[in-house]
Amino acid sequence: MRVMAQLAMVMNLDKCIGCHTCSVTCKQTWTNREGVEYVWFNNVETRPGQGYPRQYEDQRRWRGGWELSRRGRLRLRGGSRLRRLGSLFANPELPALTDYYEPWTYDYRTLTTAPLGDDSPVARPVSAVTGAPTTIHSGPNWDDSLGGGPENGALDPVVAKLRDELGHQVRFEFEQTFMFYLPRICEHCLNPSCVASCPSGAMYKRVEDGIVLVDQDRCRGWRMCVSGCPYKKVYFNHRTGKAEKCTFCYPRMEVGQPTVCAETCVGRLRYIGVLLYDVDRVTEAASVQDEKGLYPAQLDLFLDPEDPEVVAAAERSGVPHEWIQAARRSPVRDLICTYRLALPLHPEYRTMPMVWYIPPLSPVVDALAKTGFDGEDAGNLFGAIEALRIPVEYLAELFTAGDPEPVRASMRRLAAMRSFMRSVNLGEVPDQNLLSGVGLTEDQVRAMYRLLAVAKYDERY
Amino acid sequence: MCALRKSFDPSGVEDSASAALLRLSRLLTRSDTSPDLRAVHRRGGRAGESYYRDRWSHDKVVPSTHGVNCTGSCRWKVYVKDGIITWETQDTDYPSVGPDRPEYEPRGCPRGASFSWYTYSPLRVRYPYARGVLVEMYRVAKEKHGDPVRAWKSIMDDPVKRGVYHRARGRGGLVRIDWDEAAELVAAAHVHTIAEHGPDRVAGFSPIPAMSMVSHAVGSRFMALLGAPMLSFYDWYADLPVASPQVFGDQTDVPESADWWDAAYLLMWGSNVPVTRTPDAHFMTEARYRGQKVVVVSPDFADNTRFADEWMAPHPGTDAALALAMGHVVLREFFVDNATPAFTDYVRRYTDLPFLVTLLERDGHLVPGRFVTAADLGRVEEHAEWKPALLDDVTGKPVVPNGSLGFRWSAEPGRWNLDLAGVEPALSLHGHADAEPVGVALPRFDQPDGTGEVLRRGVPAVRLGAEKRWVTTVFDLLLAQYGVAREGLPGEWPTGYDDAEEPATPAWQETITGVPAAQVVRVAREFADTAVRSKGRCMIIMGSGANHWFHADLIYRSMLALLQLTGCQGRNGGGWAHYVGQEKVRPLTGWATMAGALDWCRPPRQMIGTAYWYTHTDQWRYDALGADALSWPLGGGHLAGATVADLLARSARMGWMPSYPTFDRNPLDLVAEADAAGADPVAHVVEELRAGRLKFACEDPDAPENWPRVLTVWRANLIGSSAKGNEYFLRHLLGADTEVRAQETPSARRPREVRWREQAPQGKLDLLLALDFRMTSTTLYADVVLPAATWYEKHDLSSTDMHPFVHSFNAAVDPPWQCRTDFDIFHGIARAFSELAATHLGVRRDLVVTALQHDTPGEIAQPGGTARDWRAGECEPMPGATMPVFTVVERDYPAVAARLAALGPVVEKAGVTTKGVTVDVARELAWLAEANGTAPAGPTAGRPRVDTDRRFADAILALSGTTNGRVATEGFRVLQERVGRPLTQLSAESAHHRVTFADTRSRPAPVVTSYEWSGDESGGRRYSPFTINVEQLKPWHTLTGRQHFFLDHEWLAELGEQLPVYRPPLDMHRLYDEPPLGPDGQRQVVVRYLTPHSKWSIHSEYQDNPLMLTLSRGGPTFWMSPADADAIGVRDNDWVEAVNRNGVVVARAVVSHRMPTGTVFMYHAQERTVNVPRSETTGRRGGVHNSLTRLQIKPTHLVGGYAQLSFGFNYLGPTGNQRDEVTVIRRRGQEVTY
C-alpha cells in the first residue's frame, strides 16, 4: 500500500441552478487574456446537450482517455505514443476552434465615436481571433437552458447512445421537457491520460495533493494532452503555444482558500476535500474488464483515514498529519464513500476522475401525480423516482457507465432524507422504515442533511 | 516548499513504444528518472508553478457591491493590482443567520461577476460628451450673448435650431467637452427653464435608491431643492404590485430570502428564482431537503421548473383563473364543508372578511355596495365614516371594532389596534337568525375578449340601519364570487368541481388556463393541508410573470387570497414573497429625508412615472382603450365615455394623483401674481382655477407651455430599458427619427376633457442629460453625457429586502479618465447652477401642488369612496379635501449648492416622518454636527455637513430606525401610543445599536426591528412581513385596519373589481386591430410577446458585456417554440423580425421545446446598441424590446384620496405594464446589414 492524498471535488447537481457564476469568476481570474479567449477552465453545460467543445463525449471521434487492449491492459485510446509522435504535426483528433467556438467581441468604440449619421450607432460583432466582422454561430454555452434543443439535442452523444444502443428515445417536446446543468472542471484524475499523452513530460500530477498541471516552462505545445483528455479539459494557448488547464486554483488552495469556482458557487453545491488512496492499485482499478465495475473499483481505491494501518502507511508515504486530519473531516469522503451519493463522471474513460457528482433528484413527478398519487408521500417515494422527468438511464450513462442501480440508490437516499425531514419539519413522527430501506441510520440522515442542506462554509471545504 | 515532482506511474501501460518515447523525452529534459521508468521524480523543476501564482497575486481587496435595479445587494471582493481592478469574487462575511440554517454566503451571480469588465472597457464613458451640433450652437450663442442662460434661451427660442439638434439625437456625433463647459451648459438649461417655465418643468429620473442610496439621494436632493419633480419608478416599471396597497395598505413588504427556508410549501408563481434571484436560489434548493414541497407555476419550462415537484403551466396571463379555482377548493373544503378553526380564526381577526357590506339596487339587481360604517349605524362620533362595522356572533348585533382608519387619525389615541375585546366577528350571515337569502349580481369577464357579464349568485343578508338596507359580509360575497354554493341560496352555482361553465371551479379554470383540474384540486388541497399542519408556513414567491399584466392587481389579489384564507400571512415561512424590482431601503427615514431635502423645504414634488411618460410621450394620442372597454355592465356608468387621458385629468384635479408640470403657468409666477395682487397665493390659485383662467397642464399636454423641458437620468437607462412605447419616446419627447407605425385615435374616441391639438409635437425636451459609466441607448440619445464612476469607484450604501444587512460600496480605485462620482457631478452642477441663479433667479416662492397622501390625514379626505369632481360642480374646490394640497415653498436658488451639502433646520423642528410616525431626531442632529463637522460659513453656516459621500451616508444611517436603535425605539414609543398596546419591546434589545458607514465597510451590518417596517427581527428572527401586525395586533394601514379582500371605491365597482375576479389579457385584436393570434399560413405567426428577465443581464446592464454575450447567443434573441418556428420556416439561430403597431425588432431565434406554442420571449432590455442590424421592414436600426410595447393605463390605479387607495411615491400609481402585447413574427433575409 502506497498512500497518496488527493484533493477532490463533489458537485451536487441537485442544487445547481445553472447560473454560470463559477464559469465567469474562473474565466475572469484565469483566462481572460490573449490566446485563451475561447478557454473556459470551468464551464457549465445544459444536459441533454452537446457540451463544450461540441460532442466531446464522443470518444469514437476524439479518442480520448484509456481503453483496454485485448490482453486486458490499459492503453491510450488515442493510440501509442509512437502513433501520436507520427501525428505531432497533424493530429486528427484535435478539436478545431469551431468545435469550441470562435471567440468574438464587439466594435464597442463606435457607440462613442460614431460621427453624426443616418441611424443610431451599433457595436457589431468582430472575431476576437482575426478582428474582422463576424457572425455568431456557436458559443461555449450554445445549448443554454435547452436553446436549440429540438434541432441539436439529438446530437448529444449520450442521447445518441441511448437511442442507438439502448433504443431509449429522448423526446424534445414541451410536455417531456427535462434538463439539468453539468458544471465541469478538470477531473484531476488518478490515472490521467493527458499526462500519459504528453511527449514532453511537461504534465504532472503533484505529489502532495494530486493536482494535475502543465509545466508552463516545459510544455512544447504538442497538444497530445488536448486530444488525450476525454473531458477536453486541457486547452491550447495559441499565443504562448503552450497547453493550459484548470489548476484546481493551487495558488489559493496552498494558502487555505477553496477554488474560485467553489467559493463563488452561489448554489453552494461544491465540496472540496481530501481523499487518501492506494496509488499502487490505480492501474488495476482502471483495468477492470466490465465498465460498470469501474465505479466500484475506484471507490475501492479510497482508504479509510480512521484505519490505523492506513494512517501508518500514509505517514510512511510522507502524507502530513494535517492532511490525514483533513481526510477524516473530508465532506467529499462523506459524499462519495459514506453516503454513496456522489458518482464519477464517465468512469468508462478509465482515467479515475476525481470530480464527482450527486445526480439531480429535482423531481417533477407529475407523471406519477397524474395517477392521483403524491410523489412526496413516503409510500410512493421510490415509485416517484422511476417517474422522474430525467431518465435514470441518461444519468447512468454519465456517471456509472450505464449501470442505473448506483444512480437510483443515490436518488433514493436523497428522497428518503427529504421525506424524513418533512416529518421533522412538520413536527410529525418520521417513518423509520424509509431509512432502513435505503440503508441509512437516523444519525446518518441528519448528518447528510446538515452537509447538503445547511452546508456551512466550513463544512463544505 | 517541497520541490518534489513526480509524473504519474505508467506501469501496466500496454505500450513498449511508450517506454521508448518516455526515455527519449527524459533525455530531452533534465530529470531524475528511475531506472525502471515506473516513476519520474524530480527535485526542483516546479518553477513553472509561479506562472499562476503570479497571476493570482494582488495588492489589495476592497469590498463593494453593484447598484441599480438589481436587488441582490451582494457583497463582492474587488481585487486590485498595480492600481488596476483585475476581477471580483464574492465575499463570504455575512453575519450568521443561525446555526441550523444555510447562510447567505456567497451572494452573487454571473452578471455581477463580470462587472469589472466595464471599468476599462471600450464601452466606458471616459469624458464629458455633448451633441456636436448643440455644442456649436451654444458656443456661438454664448459668444454673442455673453451669458450662458441667455445663450441657452436664444437656442430654445429658435424652433429651427431646436429641431436641428433634436433630430440629431441618437445618430452619433457626440463630441468631447470639458467639465466646466458641461456644468455651465447644464446649469444654464436649468436656470432658464425654472425662470421661463417653472421648476416643475425640470425632472429627475433615477430608480431603486436602495441599491446606492447616496448616489440616488444626492441627485434627488438637488431636484427637490430646485422644486423639480422626481419621477417614480416602481409603478412605472410595473414592478409595484398594486394589489399590495390595495390589500395590505403597504407599498411592498416581503420576507428576506432566508425565510424561504422556513416554508413547508413553496409555490413559485411567475418567478424564475434561479435566474432572477440567483444569489438566493440556494435557500429554495436547500429547503427541499427539509421536506419543503415545491410547485412551479410557469407557462414555459422555466429554469426553476426542474426543482419542482409539480409543474403547472397555465397559458400566459390566465393566472387569476388558476388562483381563483384553488381558492374555490380551499373555501369549499376548509371553510364550508369542514370549517377549519386555524383558518376561520385568522380571517376573522386579520382580514376584512367579517365586515359588513351594503347591497345596492342597480338595474333590478342587487350588487355589492360599500362597507357599512359607524356613520351608517347612526353613530355620531369622530371619523364615523371611516369606521367599518361587523356583526358580533355572540350578540348578533353590529359592532364597530377597533383598528380601522377612523381610529388611526382620531384625536384620542389608543384604539388603533386589532384587539377584538371579546367580540366574535360573524364571518357569514348564513344561519343568522334575521338573515334571508337574496340574489346578487356579480361580475365575470371570462369571455376571451374580456367582455363584462353578469353572474347571478346569492348571499344571506340582513336589513340594517335607518334605511333598512340589505347588508351581508365580505365573506358571503366572496363565496358567491368564487362559486362556492351553500344550501338555500338563490342563483346559478357550479354543480361541482367538474362544472366547466360556472366560475370559479377547477374545471372552469382548465378551459381558460389549460392546467388539469385534478392537479389544481390536488395542489390547493395540499397547500391548505400543509398550512394547517405547519401553522401557516406556506409561501408563494410571485414574480413579474404574474405581476406585469394589465390586470396584474387582480391576479395578485387572487393569489394573496390563498395566503390570507389559510392564515399564512404574517408568519415566518409563510405569505407572499413578491420579488419584482422590489427594493427595501432599510434605512428608510434617513434616505427619504436626505433625498427629499426635507431638512430644507417640504413637500417635494413626486410624480407618477407612468402618467408622466404616457402624457409627455403622447402615447395618449394613440390609446383607444377607454374606460368603456373595461367597465362592468352593472358598474354604475361613472366612467362612461372617458379616455385614460380624461381620467388622468380628473385624478389630478380631485387630488388623487400628482401631476407635473401642474398648471399651464409657471408656479413661481403664480405666487408672484398673488403677491402683486396682495392675495393669498393658495386662494388666488383656487380662484383662478374655479374661474377657468388657470388650467391644469395635463388638460392640454401638447401646448408648448406644458411640456417638460429638462430631464436628468442617472443610475438608469430609460430609453434602452424601461421606456414602454420606446418609439413614442423617441418621436414625441425627443423629436428623433423613429418608427411608430400606429395611427392616432380616431376623433370619436378622443378625450373630451383634454385638448387635442391637430399636430402632435415632436421634440418636447430642451435637454436630456445622462450620467453613466457606459454607453447605452439613453446616452446615445442624450444631449449631454457625463462620465460617472462605477460601483467600484465610489462610496455608497446598499440594502435589499432579500437580506437584512446594510453594507457599502467602496472605492477600490479612483474614477479613471475624467469620470466622477454622481455625488461629485451633482455638486458640480449645483455650484454652476447657484452661480447663475444669483443673477437670474434669486430667492423665489413656489406653489407646490401635491396629491392627498397615504399615511397622512389626507387619506381620510374623501369619505365613501366616491369621485366628486369640483369642475363638474359636484362639490366645492377645497384644497386638501376635494382637490390637491397647495403649499407655498420658498426657493433660495443661489443657496442650492450650499444646501445640498448641509443638513437644514426644518428637520430639527418637524422631526422625521415615516408611514405616519414622527420621531424627534435632535440627538442625531447633534451627533452628526460633531461627527461630520458643520459648515463654516455662507448660507448654511453651522449646519451639519453632508458634503462628502461618506458623511452623507452617515446622515442616512443616523436618521433611520433600522440602523439606529434609538430612533427605532423612539418610533415604537410614538406608535404604541397611537396603537394602545406595547411595542417598544420589539427594539429594546437593540436600543443602543448604531450602524455607521465605517461599520458597513468592515462587514455587512445587521439591521434592527423598526417601526419603519412590519417584521419582527428581534432575537435573531428572519424577517417576514406583518409579523408585528399579527403578533402585536398592530393594524395594517387600510380602511378596516385589516387585510382587504373587498375594495369599495366607486371606480373599482365600476370595473367590477371589488373582489378578486378573473380578467383575460387585453384583446389586442379587438382593441387595436392587431391580427388574431396564430399562424396565418403565409410565413408569419402572431404570438404573445413576453419580456421576462434574462439570465444574462440585469435589465440592459450586462447584456452588452462580452462575457454574458459569449455565454448566451451573442445578441438579441427571441425564444420560440418549435411549432411557431416551423410555421414560419425558422431554424435555430435564424434572424427573424417582429413587427406590430408600435415598432420593429430584429433578433435571432432560439428555438426551444421549453417554450409553449403561441408565445415568444424576448428577454428584457436587449438594447439596440449591440449586434442589432437594420430591419427589412423599415431599413432602419431594429428596436429595443420595448419598441413593440406601449403604455396601457388601468383607470383604477388612478384612484386616490381614499384610505389605502391614496397616493404615495412608488406606493400607488398606474403601472407601466407591458405583458398583454402581441406581435407578428416572420423570418427575414439572413443577410443582415448594420
Side-chain angles (χ1 to χ4, degrees), chain B residues 728-804:
Chain B
Y728 304 88
F729 274 72
L730 302 188
R731 173 186 278 183
H732 296 293
L733 189 68
L734 300 180
D737 290 330
T738 182
E739 292 304 335
V740 172
R741 302 160 58 78
Q743 298 296 310
E744 292 186 334
T745 307
S747 53
R749 294 162 82 183
R750 289 177 186 170
R752 297 181 208 164
E753 302 168 29
V754 170
R755 182 166 169 196
W756 183 280
R757 290 175 182 256
E758 275 320 306
Q759 201 59 46
Q762 297 198 9
K764 295 180 176 177
L765 275 189
D766 293 349
L767 176 71
L768 175 60
L769 167 65
L771 280 55
D772 213 321
F773 55 78
R774 66 188 178 112
M775 291 301 288
T776 68
S777 298
T778 303
T779 63
L780 288 185
Y781 282 89
D783 302 306
V784 177
V785 183
L786 299 179
T790 68
W791 314 119
Y792 296 169
E793 297 159 6
K794 62 180 169 188
H795 299 281
D796 209 319
L797 290 171
S798 173
S799 72
T800 176
D801 38 18
M802 308 309 297
H803 66 59

Side-chain angles (χ1 to χ4, degrees), chain B residues 1006-1030:
Chain B
V1007 295
V1008 306
T1009 307
S1010 169
Y1011 65 96
E1012 297 153 296
W1013 304 102
S1014 68
D1016 179 1
E1017 298 169 273
S1018 61
R1021 266 174 85 172
R1022 297 300 98 214
Y1023 187 93
S1024 180
F1026 313 128
T1027 49
I1028 291 177
N1029 305 77
V1030 166

Side-chain angles (χ1 to χ4, degrees), chain B residues 949-1014:
Chain B
D949 42 15
R950 280 164 280 189
R951 288 178 181 140
F952 198 98
D954 265 323
I956 290 176
L957 295 168
L959 296 175
S960 301
T962 52
T963 45
N964 181 347
R966 198 205 72 83
V967 170
T969 306
E970 179 60 13
F972 275 127
R973 194 192 56 72
V974 172
L975 186 59
Q976 76 183 3
E977 242 172 78
R978 175 57 45 188
V979 169
R981 297 177 58 84
L983 294 172
T984 49
Q985 74 280 9
L986 293 168
S987 61
E989 68 179 18
S990 312
H992 304 290
H993 182 82
R994 165 72 74 87
V995 179
T996 64
F997 185 71
D999 296 329
T1000 67
R1001 296 180 72 179
S1002 55
R1003 196 180 185 188
V1007 295
V1008 306
T1009 307
S1010 169
Y1011 65 96
E1012 297 153 296
W1013 304 102
S1014 68

Side-chain angles (χ1 to χ4, degrees), chain A residues 12-21 24-25 28-30 32-33 71 73-74 80-81 101 104 106 108-109 111-112 114-125 136 140-142 144-151 172-174 177 179 181 190-191 199 201 204-208 213 215-218 244 250-252 254 263-266 268 283 362-365 369 374 376 389 417-418 421-422 425-426 428 449 453-454 456-457 460, chain B residues 4-6 8 11-12 14-15 18 21 25-26 42 45-46 48-49 51-53 55-56 77 87-88 90 98-99 101-103 105-106 108-110 113 116-117 122-123 129 170-173 261 264 274 278 282 286 288-293 299 301 303 305-309 522 526 530 533-534 537 775 780 1095-1096 1104 1106-1111 1113-1114 1119 1122 1131-1133 1150-1155 1168-1172 1174 1180-1181 1234:
Chain A
N12 182 357
L13 299 185
D14 193 42
K15 288 172 76 174
C16 182
I17 57 173
C19 70
H20 298 253
T21 308
V24 174
T25 49
Q28 292 273 70
T29 308
W30 299 118
N32 70 346
R33 48 197 159 95
R71 283 187 287 157
R73 306 201 67 193
L74 278 178
S80 69
R81 281 197 166 88
Y101 70 102
W104 70 85
Y106 299 85
Y108 290 112
R109 287 298 293 165
L111 299 175
T112 308
L116 185 59
D118 69 335
D119 210 336
S120 59
V122 68
R124 59 179 303 182
I136 298 160
N141 184 33
W142 200 247
D144 189 67
S145 297
L146 302 181
E151 203 170 310
F172 294 91
E173 291 168 10
F174 183 70
T177 312
M179 67 174 172
Y181 300 100
L190 301 182
N191 185 30
Y204 59 103
K205 193 166 172 66
R206 302 212 308 183
V207 74
E208 70 272 28
L213 292 178
D215 185 331
Q216 291 297 305
D217 293 341
R218 290 171 194 262
E244 293 201 44
Y250 67 83
R252 287 173 56 98
E254 287 167 354
E263 188 176 80
T264 66
C265 172
V266 293
R268 304 166 89 248
T283 307
S362 304
V364 178
V365 289
D374 176 9
E376 294 311 295
R389 283 183 166 249
M417 173 184 75
R418 226 187 130 182
M421 290 308 298
R422 181 167 179 83
N425 184 349
L426 293 173
E428 295 165 2
Y449 161 78
V454 179
K456 299 279 184 185
Y457 186 94
R460 298 205 300 277
Chain B
L4 181 72
R5 164 173 162 165
K6 177 183 171 301
F8 190 68
S11 68
E14 159 96 2
D15 189 0
S18 74
L21 187 75
S25 83
R26 298 309 172 230
R42 290 182 199 158
R46 268 167 63 167
E49 288 180 14
Y51 184 76
Y52 293 105
R53 274 192 207 101
R55 185 166 170 89
W56 176 248
K77 291 184 279 201
W87 55 75
E88 58 274 87
Q90 293 105 302
R101 46 172 71 233
E103 305 288 4
E105 58 78 23
C109 73
S116 57
W117 174 80
L123 200 62
Y129 287 92
R171 287 169 38 206
W261 171 258
T278 308
H282 72 87
E286 285 154 348
R288 290 174 311 142
Y289 296 155
R290 244 191 124 202
Q292 177 185 92
K293 178 149 187 175
F301 190 93
D303 295 56
T305 313
R306 80 169 199 79
F307 296 100
D309 299 298
R522 188 177 59 247
E526 276 179 358
T530 306
R533 289 159 66 194
S534 66
R537 290 190 289 121
M775 291 301 288
L780 288 185
K1095 195 163 166 176
W1096 308 114
D1104 49 13
L1107 282 159
M1108 297 296 92
L1109 286 158
T1110 296
L1111 286 173
R1113 293 292 187 101
W1119 281 71
R1131 297 188 59 189
D1132 189 50
N1133 207 39
V1150 180
V1151 181
S1152 177
H1153 57 296
R1154 201 191 93 194
M1155 295 295 299
R1168 47 164 62 88
T1169 49
V1170 174
N1171 201 2
V1172 175
R1174 292 173 188 253
R1180 298 185 48 77
R1181 178 90 47 237
Y1234 292 90

